Amino acid sequence: LSFSRNRTPSKSPIFSRIRNQILDLREDPENPQLLKDGDIMLGGIFSFHSSWVNSQDTYRHKPLPLQCISLNFRGFQYAQAMLFAIEEINNSTALLPGISLGYKIYDSCKSITRSVRVALALANGNEIISALSPPCTRPAQVQAIMGETSSSPCMAIATVIGPFHIPMISHFATCACLSDKTKYPSFLRTIPSDYYQSRALAQLVWHFGWTWVGALRTNDDYGNNGMATFTETAQKLGICLEYSVSFFRTDPPDKIQKIIDIIKASTSMVIVAFLSLVDIDLLIQELSLHNMTGYQWVGTEAWIFDSQTAVMDINHILDGAIGLSIPKAHVSGMREFMLDVMPLNSSSNEMFSEFWEKLFSCKFKQSTSLVGNQTECTGHEDLTGVQNSFTDMSLMPIFNNVYKGVYAVAHALHNILSCNKTCNKKVQLDTFTDGDEVYFNENGDPAAKYEIINWQPTEHGIVDFVTVGLYDASLPADKQLNLLNKSLIWAQNSQQVPLSVCSEKCPPGTHKVLQKGKPVCCYDCIRCAEGEINSITCVRCHPEFWSNERRDACVKKEAEFLSYEEIMGELLTATSLFGTCITAVVAFIFFRYRKTPIVRANNSELSFLLLFSLTLCFLCSLTFIGRPSEWSCMLRHTAFGITFVLCISCVLGKTIVVLMAFRATLPGSNVMKWFGPTQQKLTVLGFTLIQVIICILWLTISPPFPFINFKKFKDKIILECALGSAVGFWAVLGYIGLLAMLCFILAFLARKLPDNFNDAKFITFSMLIFCAVWITFIPAYVSSPGKFSVAVEIFAILASSFGLLFCIFIPKCYIILLKPQKNTKKNMMGKEASNSF
């Protein structure tokens, strides 16, 4: 053995706690001569037999004495491992030199009551029938107890011997409850706690995507505590248990049958078995009777690497099982020592006759059970060629745990004896190494390391325990589980990982809706609503995005606005430019014939100003086309409002001129001097200035701005100009409407005035068209979606502009170009031609 000086401060050495317990004994005044000149005794409690039981819980209901039946070779193997370690230490000159370790090993018969009884006997130094005990010349109290194998007996023993401060070291008791130092202060173990194993199993199940599993457990402290931790961890990982049932080997057959029925009725294909070795063997027998193969088993270290369990599984119930085992170990010379059974036969204990007879399937001559056709035992039989559970070394990792426990005690004793009376029991001592560094943590547990074992049947029907991964609890959480690059064999020799889910994974575009009254792993897949995609639940896309057809991704919405590239935009642009050109042509005609009577008679200055304003009206419609921007939004409404007021003001001025001209023909009337060209221009300027003020206020207080409308359409974005102030917008339109109505009324009153060419008639028609267009515009604008509302507004602008242009100017152009003979002053004033137009 070598020693390691590089110990991690946070980890107490394995023998430091044992040393403290032994120091407590040395300081006990009732045991002053315990460690003086004689041998140091170690106690051992192992199960060489099973106890006689009925259907009730033995240790609660069955009185002593108990009958030990059914010899168990595993107990002998554990005892042999202990003896090997003691003999090796006694032969060592470096460890406990000059001191001989003795031992007293007892058979607990798998009875908690018997285990407690022999533990008390060891603690009190009483003599009791020993299974493996050499003759001693003087009694000696044991300094430590090796055992027991199961968790429940260890809990009972540790509770009883705790006040005696006698260290108890178990090699196979894994219940996490035993880490509680307030209840079990003197308990230690060389096997990891189920605190780590249960979590490792949950991570293993989660790794393979099994979210719907069944659970079986032994109805004792080992099974119940281990499964409780597994369940807690599994729930955090999103794993659901379809069922979780317990049983014990002594349960009546009808309870086992109920478990079989539960498994048959279940839909989960994975079974997590937190079972002891005896209980898994019993379950295999029952499952074989019902030919229940095809389930994927997940096992614990209690049975996953036990070859005898594999031998019993003749119907291949457990083929493909996967689980955690103690890492493989090799102790030089241990196998040979354990298989050397001749020293055992030299014992005078009657139990070894039974052991020998079962080992070699023979009977001693003096045996009362000898029958005629059985081979007689000679006592010199050879183990060569014998194949049974005693010669099976698959549990070498557990034998190594026994071996390490004995060495831990020996190192603790060695340090105590070396320091004499000046020993400070609070000083941390060095760890010892046995291949790996050996120590206890603060709870008395060793480092938690496991191998992941896969049952892979071979061609000859023998199961091969293949290591397919490792688990190390000391590593970071994301690196603790490490599966090696090896092919796994699953249930029924399948190469595919089994599927065990309550509900299939929801396809893209759907989300989970839990089924009423069932665990969270059971759900229905409901298609996500429009605009949502699936994650864990349906998630609403960002307002600028929309779900695709499969509902599995958000795609950017199409931005919609009236652009120059689309057909509607092109048509409106062409119409606007066409109106501008027509207006320019009319203006050219009027300018070319500006001295003719028909142009002069219709107030040429107002006519040219009206044509200019109509040109602006046609052109302002172009500001409504294209991607909205801050400037375009402010420009389009104000330009529209001001140009139309300018246009209507000119028409209104022409209407007033007609009325004034008729009044001027009356005797004694001089109204024309009050409404000459200067007054007409001021009138137009005044009406227009009012609209300019309204627009300035609108732009100052709350101007129009570009706005992204997500609500009008689900699958597209509308880029539009928000009005800013609705009052400002409707004030601009209202003022235009007011001037238009005023102009219409005045023109209507002047429509029958005597003249061959009464301009009021055409103004009336134009205002009628103008008002009709804008009255119908309001409901059409409000109800039109998206870019069509902009198109409606442009259409209203163009329609009203064309109405004014055609009704007022086209008749005059007709006379100028096609009827020049009528373009005379005489004709304009004649009565006979009053109905020419």
Side-chain angles (χ1 to χ4, degrees):
L1 287 170
S2 62
F3 290 86
S4 171
R5 296 286 177 182
N6 299 321
R7 197 184 69 77
T8 304
S10 62
K11 299 175 181 176
S12 302
I14 190 170
F15 51 90
S16 178
R17 291 183 177 275
I18 303 172
R19 168 184 174 277
N20 294 343
Q21 302 293 343
I22 296 175
L23 280 173
D24 289 340
L25 280 177
R26 292 183 64 189
E27 295 165 1
D28 189 343
E30 296 182 4
N31 300 284
Q33 296 180 339
L34 182 61
L35 294 179
K36 288 187 178 180
D37 302 325
D39 291 334
I40 298 175
M41 299 299 295
L42 298 182
I45 304 176
F46 305 106
S47 298
F48 301 124
H49 293 85
S50 297
S51 58
W52 182 89
V53 293
N54 56 18
S55 61
Q56 302 298 322
D57 188 324
T58 301
Y59 88 94
R60 288 187 297 181
H61 301 287
K62 183 66 180 176
L64 292 174
L66 297 174
Q67 180 182 359
C68 294
I69 60 171
S70 181
L71 191 70
N72 175 27
F73 282 141
R74 292 300 188 202
F76 280 92
Q77 290 178 313
Y78 300 145
Q80 283 281 75
M82 178 179 173
L83 296 181
F84 172 74
I86 290 176
E87 182 171 317
E88 200 173 66
I89 293 169
N90 287 339
N91 293 331
S92 172
T93 58
L95 191 60
L96 293 176
I99 297 176
S100 175
L101 291 179
Y103 53 86
K104 288 184 178 181
I105 302 176
Y106 295 99
D107 181 9
S108 66
C109 294
K110 293 188 178 179
S111 166
I112 296 179
T113 304
R114 188 180 179 94
S115 298
V116 173
R117 179 187 171 205
V118 298
L120 286 173
L122 289 170
N124 293 326
N126 296 337
E127 292 297 328
I128 191 171
I129 298 176
S130 173
L132 300 172
S133 182
C136 296
T137 58
R138 54 184 173 275
Q141 187 184 33
V142 298
Q143 306 305 301
I145 297 176
M146 312 306 299
E148 245 269 20
T149 302
S150 302
S151 296
S152 293
C154 284
M155 294 171 65
I157 296 172
T159 301
V160 171
I161 68 171
F164 294 95
H165 302 285
I166 298 178
M168 177 183 181
I169 308 176
S170 175
H171 55 281
F172 213 10
T174 58
C175 180
C177 55
L178 287 166
S179 298
D180 187 351
K181 293 294 109 179
T182 60
K183 293 182 179 179
Y184 314 108
S186 63
F187 178 82
L188 304 101
R189 53 186 160 195
T190 52
I191 190 170
S193 165
D194 281 339
Y195 173 87
Y196 304 102
Q197 179 177 215
S198 299
R199 284 162 173 75
L201 286 175
Q203 290 185 35
L204 187 65
V205 170
W206 179 81
H207 175 82
F208 291 110
W210 300 326
T211 58
W212 186 240
V213 301
L216 301 176
R217 67 185 188 277
T218 297
N219 191 15
D220 61 6
D221 296 295
Y222 166 74
N224 292 330
N225 283 278
M227 186 55 70
T229 305
F230 171 82
T231 303
E232 177 186 355
T233 308
Q235 289 176 347
K236 293 179 181 178
L237 295 174
I239 302 169
C240 300
L241 270 62
E242 183 179 12
Y243 58 87
S244 180
V245 292
S246 64
F247 72 96
F248 198 69
R249 63 189 70 98
T250 59
D251 287 340
D254 60 333
K255 184 171 183 180
I256 305 298
Q257 183 58 45
K258 287 181 180 178
I259 294 176
I260 300 298
D261 295 339
I262 290 174
I263 298 175
K264 284 184 176 180
S266 68
T267 57
S268 57
M269 299 305 297
V270 174
I271 301 176
V272 179
F274 231 104
L275 299 172
S276 66
L277 190 61
V278 178
D279 292 329
I280 191 68
D281 291 344
L282 173 63
L283 185 64
I284 289 174
Q285 296 176 11
E286 294 298 324
L287 294 173
S288 297
L289 295 176
H290 295 81
N291 193 27
M292 295 180 62
T293 60
Y295 291 93
Q296 179 61 47
W297 292 81
V298 180
T300 62
E301 89 297 326
W303 61 268
I304 196 65
F305 65 108
D306 187 82
S307 60
Q308 295 304 307
T309 301
V311 170
M312 290 184 58
D313 186 19
I314 57 176
N315 290 322
H316 306 284
I317 303 295
L318 302 178
D319 278 5
I322 193 170
L324 304 178
S325 74
I326 307 304
K328 293 181 176 63
H330 173 73
V331 181
S332 179
M334 180 180 284
R335 184 180 187 278
E336 293 75 13
F337 180 89
M338 295 177 67
L339 295 180
D340 184 8
V341 295
M342 294 306 296
L344 296 178
N345 191 33
S346 63
S347 172
S348 59
N349 195 308
E350 293 183 357
M351 187 179 67
F352 291 103
S353 297
E354 180 185 1
F355 164 75
W356 198 270
E357 289 176 349
K358 183 172 182 180
L359 180 61
F360 295 103
S361 300
C362 64
K363 292 291 182 180
F364 284 104
K365 188 174 183 181
Q366 66 272 21
S367 176
T368 56
S369 59
L370 179 64
V371 294
N373 59 349
Q374 280 190 308
T375 305
E376 183 178 342
C377 295
T378 64
H380 301 286
E381 282 77 10
D382 186 5
L383 272 177
T384 303
V386 176
Q387 295 290 333
N388 55 30
S389 59
F390 185 80
T391 60
D392 173 36
M393 292 292 132
S394 62
L395 294 186
M396 183 59 72
I398 308 303
F399 306 154
N400 184 48
N401 286 346
V402 179
Y403 178 82
K404 288 191 292 187
V406 175
Y407 263 92
V409 175
H411 276 281
L413 290 169
H414 182 86
N415 282 274
I416 291 173
L417 295 176
S418 299
C419 68
N420 296 321
K421 294 183 179 181
T422 62
C423 188
N424 180 6
K425 66 179 180 180
K426 300 300 182 182
V427 175
Q428 299 296 324
L429 302 178
D430 297 319
T431 62
F432 74 92
T433 60
D434 179 34
D436 293 328
E437 189 179 46
V438 181
Y439 59 85
F440 286 145
N441 63 16
E442 63 275 8
N443 296 322
D445 300 325
K449 295 181 180 180
Y450 299 96
E451 290 182 356
I452 302 173
I453 299 298
N454 181 218
W455 283 32
Q456 298 189 4
T458 62
E459 296 178 357
H460 304 289
I462 302 173
V463 173
D464 189 11
F465 299 135
V466 179
T467 300
V468 296
L470 301 171
Y471 180 88
D472 189 347
S474 65
L475 297 176
D478 58 337
K479 297 181 180 179
Q480 292 177 348
L481 185 65
N482 179 27
L483 287 173
L484 305 178
N485 189 19
K486 290 186 178 181
S487 59
L488 282 78
I489 301 297
W490 305 103
Q492 296 182 327
N493 288 331
S494 173
Q495 302 289 330
Q496 298 293 327
V497 178
L499 182 66
S500 186
V501 295
C502 182
S503 299
E504 294 282 352
K505 183 180 179 181
C506 285
T510 62
H511 70 288
K512 301 176 182 178
V513 175
L514 298 182
Q515 296 178 0
K516 188 175 182 180
K518 291 188 177 182
V520 295
C521 300
C522 302
Y523 48 82
D524 295 319
C525 296
I526 306 300
R527 185 172 173 82
C528 291
E530 289 184 339
E532 297 179 342
I533 60 170
N534 68 311
S535 178
I536 297 174
T537 58
C538 286
V539 178
R540 194 77 182 172
C541 291
H542 188 272
E544 292 187 9
F545 293 82
W546 191 251
S547 59
N548 60 5
E549 185 63 28
R550 295 180 58 193
R551 307 285 203 276
D552 61 352
C554 288
V555 295
K556 194 171 182 64
K557 289 182 179 179
E558 176 188 356
E560 183 180 87
F561 59 92
L562 187 60
S563 68
Y564 291 102
E565 287 77 16
E566 60 180 300
I567 296 177
M568 186 188 303
E570 292 174 349
L571 290 176
L572 292 175
T573 301
T575 305
S576 174
L577 295 177
F578 176 73
T580 303
C581 293
I582 294 296
T583 306
V585 170
V586 171
F588 175 77
I589 294 173
F590 265 56
F591 182 78
R592 174 72 176 78
Y593 297 96
R594 63 185 178 280
K595 296 183 185 232
T596 61
I598 197 168
V599 174
R600 296 181 64 184
N602 286 275
N603 196 329
S604 60
E605 291 185 357
L606 284 182
S607 295
F608 284 114
L609 185 59
L610 177 57
L611 288 171
F612 172 73
S613 64
L614 282 175
T615 302
L616 295 179
C617 289
F618 282 117
L619 292 177
C620 81
S621 63
L622 298 179
T623 62
F624 289 82
I625 304 175
R627 190 182 189 91
S629 65
E630 184 175 354
W631 286 104
S632 67
C633 287
M634 291 189 293
L635 180 63
R636 64 173 57 172
H637 288 101
T638 53
F640 154 71
I642 294 172
T643 55
F644 261 80
V645 165
L646 178 60
C647 181
I648 300 301
S649 298
C650 292
V651 175
L652 182 60
K654 289 174 69 65
T655 306
I656 295 175
V657 168
V658 172
L659 287 173
M660 294 299 103
F662 175 75
R663 293 292 181 184
T665 60
L666 297 177
S669 177
N670 59 352
V671 295
M672 286 303 298
K673 72 176 183 178
W674 298 108
F675 200 72
T678 303
Q679 288 79 9
Q680 295 172 18
K681 296 174 184 177
L682 290 175
T683 301
V684 172
L685 179 62
F687 285 133
T688 305
L689 186 60
I690 293 175
Q691 183 74 308
V692 171
I693 295 173
I694 294 174
C695 290
I696 291 174
L697 291 175
W698 182 14
L699 295 178
T700 303
I701 298 173
S702 181
F705 58 90
F707 174 68
I708 302 177
N709 192 331
F710 298 110
K711 298 180 179 180
K712 188 167 290 187
F713 292 100
K714 296 181 293 184
D715 57 346
K716 61 179 68 175
I717 299 172
I718 303 301
L719 302 182
E720 59 186 12
C721 287
L723 296 176
S725 172
V727 175
F729 174 73
W730 292 110
V732 168
L733 284 184
Y735 184 65
I736 295 174
L738 177 64
L739 292 181
M741 290 301 297
L742 178 62
C743 185
F744 174 75
I745 293 172
L746 293 178
F748 182 79
L749 293 176
R751 73 189 188 283
K752 292 185 178 181
L753 294 178
D755 199 345
N756 266 358
F757 196 84
N758 189 351
D759 211 22
K761 296 179 181 179
F762 305 108
I763 294 175
T764 302
F765 285 131
S766 65
M767 287 296 101
L768 187 62
I769 294 173
F770 184 91
C771 292
V773 167
W774 285 102
I775 290 174
T776 56
F777 159 78
I778 295 175
Y781 178 82
V782 173
S783 61
S784 297
K787 62 183 178 181
F788 295 101
S789 62
V790 179
V792 167
E793 190 167 359
I794 295 175
F795 176 80
I797 293 173
L798 296 177
S800 56
S801 298
F802 276 112
L804 291 173
L805 179 64
F806 288 161
C807 290
I808 296 176
F809 291 100
I810 294 302
K812 298 178 178 61
C813 291
Y814 174 79
I815 295 295
I816 292 172
L817 297 176
L818 300 180
K819 300 288 185 177
Q821 66 276 12
K822 294 184 178 181
N823 190 4
T824 61
K825 185 176 181 179
K826 179 181 178 180
N827 185 66
M828 299 298 297
M829 300 298 294
K831 305 293 184 184
E832 67 279 2
S834 60
N835 297 321
S836 298
F837 299 95

